[in-house]
Amino acid sequence: DKHNKPAAFRAFERALTINPRAAEVLVCKGQMAASGMEFKDAEKFAVQALKINPSLVPALNLMAEVHWFSGEIDDTMKLVEKARTVNPRDESTLARIAACYFAQAKDKEFQAVIKEARANNPKCYTFFSDLASLMEQRKFNAEAEKYYGIAFEMQPKFAEAPSGLGMIYMRMAKEAEARKFLDLARNADPFNVRVVNSLKVLDHLDRYETKETPHFVLRFDKKNDEVLANFMASYLEDIYEDLAKDFDYRPKGPFYIEIFNRHEMFSGRVVAVPDLHTIGACTGPLVAMVSPRDTSKVIAKPFNWNRVIRHELVHVFNLEQTKAKVPHWFTEGLAVRYEGPNIPPSWHALLAEKYNGDDLLNLDNILLGFIRPRSPAQWQQAYLQSLLYIEYLTKTHGEKSIGKMLAAFAEGLDTGPALEKACNVKKDAFEKGYRAFLSERVKNTPARVTPKTMTLKQLRAAHAKNPDDIEVAAQLAEANYKLGKKKDAKELADQVLAKEPRHATATYVKALTLIDEGNPDIAYSLLDSVATDELKDTKPLRLLVKLQFNAKKYPQAARTCERARKIDPHEQSWIVELAKIYTKTEQKDKLLEIYEEVAKIDPDDLLPRKRLARHNLDKGNNAEAERYARMGLEIDVLDKTCQEILIDALTAQNKRDEVNRLKKIFGS
């Protein structure tokens, strides 16, 4: 309860040492995971507990909470109805049933459950505090505020309700109200870490400056981020107008942007604990972000703050417009789309791999890719497919379909009915068209050939069973090399090369052992011998480029990189290598081409944008110089070179008002 996870983990493990089948302890571990949004782990513990005791009400409620957070309302209801048959008066169960009815817009049934809970216990504090917590999880902030308030009136000396109200007001950017209830919560329970941390964040914010625009209120540390806040302010109203047009909705605001000079304070602002592994977040009308010049150095280098703001403001609009009823995949697809036109290069290969492997997500399960992904790749896939759903929607039904869909979601419609109302298309037909759309996207994209991975134990067993399998032998050779068993690795590599002299993995391993033995020239020759158009594996080429670069054979290294790019065109590290090579050879035209590619695929790399801005200014291409200089300042607004280029480019275009405004912002 106090968010001391290490101590809790140790205590739970000691309890399970006494009784490994203590289902109640497994539920507690699951609840701890759920409190940290680790729903995959929460599901695992709930499953374990239910195998031991299928009728354990807290386990059923935990599993229901997992499905609730994922938006799987029908599955949630099945679990809580089962829990209700075990204990029809359990307030946590009734709260989950009520929440399901609310999500289904079944107000009559919703009110009936509330009436039942009150009849069972006129002071059903647990029912209302749990109901409020469930509303809070799905960002139904107004409802969460209401039911925490009822719980607080029932038991004003208990800590959960004032703590919940304090957190809700933090998310709603009502900081004066938040402080009032957080103080009450601290008095009721002085050891609640999230309450104490939230009060520390409020004290920290008291030292910040405020800047207002027609629709936004910015809070920032004057010493660290004054230039950023003033520069950002000019973007915000333009973003507002773009989103209002795209979504056919003009919210009044104000919306709040808080720029934190330390990552721990940003994390504390969003989740009240210092371990949020991101740089920006939307909590409703509030966007919180860490400064690109994070004084705590958790963020190692500046990042593209403009993309972060654009992404999060989409969520602000969508949550406001739909009263938090927008499906997660829809708003994430819109947010990624609004970041900019270029997606990570690896996403092209990922889409081809998932399409060709018949492993696509669909509208029924895409949310699980965000909430309970099977792997980091599936988490990326969820963002990618959400973006492509939006692209397909607008391609087939026009840009106006976005606003129509959002209006349908605001009415409480699920995705299928929303598609029918907004676009006059059945969900099944939409899915069929979407797959055809993806087929065209992947038609000319080579999927990465990823060999089936085996553990070391599996490799050894497979090799012992069939020593003539050269693929297994080569993989075992590479595994041995990584373990430091270089002699075994070399012997296996030699055996493979004796049977297939141009085997890519075996060549790569043999070359590594030769380099270790002090024979880089022999390794070079070996790698060069397989660097032909028939090669389909880039590992030997990566090692060859390194040897060529170290030997100052820059033209050869460039050719090797280009060959590798043909094999794996969506791997951006080859572009980075080419930039290093062309810098050494002083091939300015080639370097500029590479910089343009880097500027498209890496949103956080300042150097290429700076160099392109300078090049265009020198050539008299002032509009392009302005564009690239702004792109640079969207990563590091304090970069003097980009500031000067922007001023010079604007001056050359006779944009005097903008020049004067920026000089004031930059202090020059």
Side-chain angles (χ1 to χ4, degrees):
D1 288 346
K2 311 307 177 205
H3 297 274
N4 186 342
K5 290 184 179 181
F9 180 83
R10 290 192 297 271
F12 291 144
E13 288 302 299
R14 287 197 296 273
L16 290 171
T17 301
I18 297 168
N19 179 8
R21 291 178 56 78
E24 294 84 351
V25 178
L26 292 168
V27 170
C28 287
K29 291 187 76 171
Q31 290 169 339
M32 182 170 72
S35 72
M37 313 292 281
E38 297 161 354
F39 284 99
K40 190 175 181 180
D41 289 339
E43 180 182 32
K44 177 184 71 176
F45 290 121
V47 168
Q48 290 176 5
L50 288 170
K51 282 182 179 179
I52 296 167
N53 182 355
S55 299
L56 183 64
V57 169
L60 291 165
N61 285 339
L62 173 61
M63 182 62 87
E65 188 168 336
V66 170
H67 289 300
W68 165 258
F69 193 82
S70 302
E72 301 164 287
I73 305 303
D74 290 343
D75 289 333
T76 306
M77 185 63 93
K78 288 176 185 176
L79 288 158
V80 291
E81 286 291 3
K82 181 177 180 180
R84 191 183 203 175
T85 62
V86 178
N87 183 356
R89 297 173 64 91
D90 182 77
E91 292 185 16
S92 293
T93 301
L94 292 174
R96 283 156 176 76
I97 293 172
C100 288
Y101 284 137
F102 179 86
Q104 294 170 333
K106 295 180 178 180
D107 186 64
K108 182 179 178 181
E109 292 85 346
F110 175 68
Q111 296 298 337
V113 177
I114 292 177
K115 185 177 180 180
E116 179 183 346
R118 286 184 180 274
N120 291 338
N121 177 10
K123 287 200 171 184
C124 50
Y125 173 86
T126 298
F127 170 82
F128 281 110
S129 60
D130 277 15
L131 178 58
S133 177
L134 292 162
M135 297 294 184
E136 182 184 358
Q137 286 180 15
R138 296 285 297 278
K139 292 187 171 65
F140 299 141
N141 290 337
E143 289 74 18
E145 177 188 8
K146 175 180 177 180
Y147 297 118
Y148 274 133
I150 293 172
F152 179 69
E153 290 175 2
M154 288 179 169
Q155 298 287 1
K157 293 185 178 180
F158 286 8
E160 294 87 356
S163 171
L165 280 168
M167 297 301 173
I168 281 293
Y169 288 133
M170 289 287 280
R171 288 178 175 82
M172 297 169 71
K174 296 180 178 179
E175 288 161 0
E177 293 93 330
R179 188 185 290 277
K180 170 187 171 183
F181 284 99
L182 289 170
D183 279 335
L184 291 171
R186 181 172 55 182
N187 293 338
D189 179 3
F191 303 104
N192 188 306
V193 171
R194 295 182 76 227
V195 169
V196 171
N197 285 345
S198 296
L199 287 167
K200 286 180 181 177
V201 169
L202 291 176
D203 290 341
H204 181 79
L205 279 169
D206 284 343
R207 301 192 292 271
Y208 277 24
E209 297 288 321
T210 299
K211 181 179 180 63
E212 296 185 19
T213 74
H215 295 97
F216 296 92
V217 177
L218 288 89
R219 305 280 297 281
F220 58 93
D221 174 21
K222 182 179 177 68
K223 182 179 178 181
N224 197 63
D225 294 309
E226 183 177 23
V227 175
L228 172 62
N230 287 323
F231 193 68
M232 183 187 293
S234 63
Y235 282 68
L236 292 175
E237 292 301 324
D238 289 340
I239 293 173
Y240 177 92
E241 291 300 325
D242 285 346
L243 295 179
K245 179 181 177 182
D246 288 348
F247 302 151
D248 194 23
Y249 182 70
R250 302 187 69 85
K252 293 181 180 179
F255 302 118
Y256 299 84
I257 312 290
E258 294 179 353
I259 307 167
F260 287 88
N261 61 7
R262 287 158 50 197
H263 188 276
E264 66 186 51
M265 285 297 171
F266 154 73
S267 182
R269 181 65 178 87
V270 179
V271 294
V273 287
D275 59 355
L276 183 63
H277 303 297
T278 187
I279 52 178
C282 161
T283 66
L286 167 73
V287 171
M289 64 174 286
V290 65
S291 167
R293 288 182 172 265
D294 170 29
T295 59
S296 66
K297 305 301 182 185
V298 172
I299 307 300
K301 67 174 187 176
F303 56 85
N304 193 314
W305 53 264
N306 183 38
R307 287 171 67 93
V308 174
I309 287 293
R310 291 166 71 88
H311 184 109
E312 300 303 337
L313 283 178
V314 169
H315 296 326
V316 169
F317 262 70
N318 292 168
L319 291 171
E320 170 82 10
Q321 183 171 358
T322 65
K323 300 297 183 286
K325 295 176 183 177
V326 60
H328 190 73
W329 69 268
F330 195 85
T331 186
E332 288 296 355
L334 290 173
V336 174
R337 184 182 192 231
Y338 196 61
E339 283 182 26
N342 301 303
I343 66 173
S346 60
W347 281 12
H348 296 285
L350 176 63
L351 178 63
E353 176 189 336
K354 296 300 181 182
Y355 182 87
N356 294 328
D358 196 24
D359 191 24
L360 291 172
L361 299 167
N362 57 47
L363 291 174
D364 292 327
N365 64 18
I366 192 168
L367 186 59
L368 299 183
F370 293 105
I371 307 301
R372 304 198 304 276
R374 297 195 306 266
S375 66
Q378 192 182 62
W379 185 69
Q380 292 286 331
Q381 180 188 357
Y383 279 98
L384 169 59
Q385 282 200 238
S386 296
L387 168 65
L388 294 174
Y389 269 120
I390 298 299
E391 289 189 6
Y392 173 66
L393 175 71
T394 55
K395 179 182 177 182
T396 53
H397 299 284
E399 290 292 330
K400 291 289 186 182
S401 62
I402 293 175
K404 292 178 181 178
M405 286 291 289
L406 289 167
F409 291 136
E411 294 178 17
L413 297 181
D414 201 358
T415 299
L419 282 168
E420 291 187 44
K421 179 166 186 176
C423 306
N424 196 29
V425 61
K426 297 281 188 182
K427 188 169 77 169
D428 288 348
F430 186 83
E431 291 275 36
K432 184 177 179 180
Y434 174 70
R435 282 193 69 97
F437 170 73
L438 295 187
S439 176
E440 287 297 314
R441 290 292 294 260
V442 304
K443 186 178 291 184
N444 299 314
T445 303
R448 283 179 176 158
V449 179
T450 306
K452 185 179 179 181
T453 57
M454 290 189 281
T455 65
L456 182 62
K457 184 178 180 180
Q458 290 171 332
L459 284 170
R460 286 172 175 167
H463 181 63
K465 184 178 180 180
N466 184 7
D468 294 327
D469 189 329
I470 61 173
E471 294 301 328
V472 170
Q475 287 184 47
L476 181 57
E478 186 176 4
N480 280 333
Y481 184 86
K482 291 177 180 177
L483 289 170
K485 297 183 176 182
K486 297 179 181 179
K487 182 179 178 181
D488 294 342
K490 186 176 181 181
E491 288 177 359
L492 280 167
D494 283 335
Q495 291 172 21
V496 174
L497 292 172
K499 298 172 184 176
E500 188 176 325
R502 292 181 180 275
H503 193 282
T505 301
T507 299
Y508 169 70
V509 174
K510 178 67 179 289
L512 286 171
T513 63
L514 287 168
I515 293 169
D516 292 338
E517 293 168 359
N519 296 309
D521 292 340
I522 301 175
Y524 184 108
S525 298
L526 179 64
L527 292 164
D528 195 44
S529 70
V530 301
T532 65
D533 291 340
E534 289 75 33
L535 184 66
K536 302 300 181 185
D537 190 338
T538 60
K539 276 187 291 190
L541 298 180
R542 192 174 296 282
L543 187 55
L544 180 57
V545 166
K546 182 179 179 181
L547 293 174
Q548 290 169 331
F549 189 86
N550 291 342
K552 299 183 179 180
K553 296 182 178 181
Y554 301 127
Q556 294 91 327
R559 284 197 297 272
T560 302
C561 281
E562 293 294 356
R563 175 171 277 131
R565 288 180 73 192
K566 287 182 180 179
I567 297 171
D568 191 356
H570 303 304
E571 174 53 61
Q572 67 187 70
S573 64
W574 299 116
I575 296 175
V576 175
E577 291 296 328
L578 283 167
K580 288 165 56 180
I581 293 165
Y582 292 140
T583 299
K584 289 289 186 182
T585 58
E586 298 182 353
Q587 291 175 267
K588 191 173 182 180
D589 290 343
K590 289 281 189 181
L591 191 57
L592 289 170
E593 289 178 15
I594 293 298
Y595 281 158
E596 286 176 356
E597 289 197 51
V598 174
K600 289 178 182 178
I601 65 178
D602 188 344
D604 303 320
D605 196 338
L606 173 62
L607 180 62
R609 293 160 171 81
K610 189 189 300 190
R611 295 282 175 83
L612 288 165
R614 171 59 66 192
H615 170 74
N616 280 288
L617 186 68
D618 292 344
K619 290 287 188 180
N621 301 328
N622 296 306
E624 283 295 281
E626 176 190 350
R627 184 169 73 90
Y628 279 113
R630 286 188 184 278
M631 289 168 66
L633 293 172
E634 288 165 8
I635 298 169
D636 185 358
V637 75
L638 297 183
D639 186 87
K640 292 296 182 184
T641 301
C642 286
Q643 289 180 357
E644 291 166 3
I645 293 172
L646 179 57
I647 294 295
D648 290 345
L650 290 169
T651 301
Q653 296 175 79
N654 202 31
K655 297 181 179 179
R656 298 189 181 280
D657 291 343
E658 179 72 353
V659 167
N660 292 333
R661 188 183 67 83
L662 289 175
K663 281 185 174 181
K664 185 177 180 181
I665 290 174
F666 297 149
S668 60

